[in-house]
Amino acid sequence: MRSEPSILHIDLDAFFAAVEQRDKPSLRGKPVVVGGIGGRGVVATASYEARAFGVHSAMPTAEARRRCPNAAFLAGRFHAYRETSHAVMTLFRSITPLVEPLSLDEAFLDLAGADLTDLSVTGVSGFAQELKDRVREVTGGLTASVGIGSSKFIAKIASELDKPDGIVVVAPGMEQDLLRPMQVTVIPGVGPATAEHLRRIGVHTVAELEQISVEELVRVLGTAQGRSLYQLARAQDDRPVVAEREAKSISVEDTYETDHVDRRLLEALTDRQAAKVTERLRKARLSGRTVTLKVRLHDFSTHTRSATLPGPTDDTRTVARVARTLLGELDTSGGVRLLGVGVSGLADWIQDDLFTDTDAEPAEDPDEETATVLASLTRRRSWLPGLDVVHDEHGEGWVWGSGRGVVTVRFETAASPTGRVLSFAADDPALHVTRTAPEE
DNA sequence: TCTGGGGTCCTAGGACCC
DNA sequence: TCTGGGGTCCTAGGACCC
């Protein structure tokens, strides 16, 4: 909570639809709906002309067609949206390095990091107007809504108050007067489930929320949300604007036009998603340890299964194999509506690094070769959950931990002198763990 | 033709380690 | 002689956001 209104939230109005109207003049002034246009699609963005018919985000497209049959229904051109977003974020970063993007069309700016001496209400209002003018220039005509306040929370609420194309500055000291009459649902993080919990204890407005003790809120909503809401009800928020946030997961998912039952088809679809997700990993020069399979069944129930590998990977076949194994754990006989594959536990180095000498010629001297392999293992020791010695028909080798589903073994003995990497299913009867090496 | 796709954060229980 | 306690990792599900 600052004494000056120096946090700015900016949101491009009806972003996807506005880009479409910009690029296709015949759509201007008309209802435009961007989103899934298939039978199971939902609306991502509706232009203000379409909103007048009651169309809004997250509405099934079928319902949107009923409400506004004459709208243009578009699947979306994400390349164009990303390009426009990039231009806007670049503009923001030219003003202050403290830019926190929330999505393609939204960001926080910390004006304390900008070259702006007058942080009075009139000062920041003038700044906001100039910023909107420059957004219009770099986007080819898009409008934005700006909220400015003494915290992220207040700035975000403020930007909602005068859409589209508005500017709202909340003067320091006025925060609670603004919030008290509002519904609790205006608080970011209060969705339908939380609102229902609060309704049951008689809370509808922020003023009513303010009357509830922190103990009671924690009892009803849990520690994290209870404490957070207790503070927000009092307009207390000191979260900083964070410029660089690293990705925590990368995933791909698809909802199918009809439910799929065929096992082989499901496996093939899973493979394709593994290929997509690993391609994105490699492009981002990332790799990850945990593979998650997501399945939505015919009854809309959603299930996830995950497995954590001994080390990070960006390899398509590895991810595909794990995903298939996880698929096998679920009963899909009733029909699958959605499949997804994700990778988390991201590391910013590439798996190739692990096995650089996989194809290298082994050293002539077996002791030297063993020393090389051991040195390699020792270097990775920090993330190896366990270094086990195993043996099978290939001889003796070292296990890279004990991930569920897949075990990767590196052999460095006479039977496999090249230090080849071999993989086994975890339940492979040919694989016997004989002992665990002592801790370093 | 009910309910997308890409994310983040939180919770709770169990395993495991010291 | 009968059952610790904290910390961390992993998994599954849920709520929420744009």
Side-chain angles (χ1 to χ4, degrees), chain A residues 100-257:
Chain A
E100 180 177 335
L102 297 178
S103 64
L104 288 180
D105 67 337
E106 219 185 298
F108 285 113
L109 277 64
D110 189 339
L111 302 185
D115 185 17
L116 184 68
T117 46
D118 181 7
L119 285 173
S120 69
V121 170
T122 40
V124 297
S125 299
F127 172 81
Q129 188 54 57
E130 286 171 33
L131 181 62
K132 273 152 50 71
D133 292 344
R134 294 194 60 191
V135 166
R136 207 185 290 259
E137 285 168 25
V138 303
T139 59
L142 267 56
T143 65
S145 296
V146 175
I148 303 180
S150 53
S151 67
K152 280 183 166 182
F153 175 46
I154 294 298
K156 170 97 177 156
I157 297 242
S159 71
E160 297 288 324
L161 295 179
D162 188 25
K163 286 188 171 205
D165 204 14
I167 298 173
V168 174
V169 183
V170 178
M174 298 302 291
E175 293 88 352
Q176 291 195 269
D177 288 341
L178 173 75
L179 291 174
R180 283 195 182 107
M182 291 181 160
Q183 298 294 118
V184 288
T185 49
V186 304
I187 301 174
V190 177
T194 306
E196 175 58 21
H197 280 125
L198 292 173
R199 194 192 60 75
R200 280 194 219 138
I201 58 169
V203 170
H204 308 85
T205 65
V206 177
E208 287 163 350
L209 181 62
E210 205 184 337
Q211 300 303 311
I212 311 296
S213 70
V214 68
E215 292 80 13
E216 174 77 346
L217 288 177
V218 165
R219 191 181 62 75
V220 174
L221 303 172
T223 313
Q225 209 182 12
R227 288 184 187 165
S228 158
L229 275 193
Y230 181 83
Q231 302 237 329
L232 293 182
R234 288 156 182 74
Q236 290 167 3
D237 174 27
D238 53 13
R239 294 169 298 164
V241 175
V242 180
E244 312 261 331
R245 303 182 65 188
E246 282 176 12
K248 305 230 158 123
S249 66
I250 290 184
S251 64
V252 164
E253 66 183 58
D254 293 298
T255 294
Y256 306 109
E257 286 291 307

Side-chain angles (χ1 to χ4, degrees), chain A residues 373-387 398 400 435-440:
Chain A
V373 173
L374 283 176
S376 161
L377 286 169
T378 304
R379 254 181 285 129
R380 322 293 180 203
R381 190 69 187 83
S382 61
W383 54 262
L384 283 173
L387 189 58
W398 302 86
W400 298 86
R435 71 178 171 85
T436 301
E439 289 293 317
E440 281 172 36

Side-chain angles (χ1 to χ4, degrees), chain A residues 346-407:
Chain A
L346 300 182
D348 59 1
W349 47 275
I350 306 296
Q351 188 212 22
D352 291 356
D353 181 48
L354 278 180
F355 304 131
T356 42
D357 50 0
T358 297
D359 299 319
E361 284 296 311
E364 297 262 338
D365 178 357
D367 288 344
E368 190 187 321
E369 173 66 9
T370 301
T372 303
V373 173
L374 283 176
S376 161
L377 286 169
T378 304
R379 254 181 285 129
R380 322 293 180 203
R381 190 69 187 83
S382 61
W383 54 262
L384 283 173
L387 189 58
D388 295 331
V389 177
V390 301
H391 61 84
D392 73 349
E393 73 274 16
H394 299 286
E396 193 174 43
W398 302 86
V399 173
W400 298 86
S402 52
R404 200 165 117 203
V406 179
V407 172

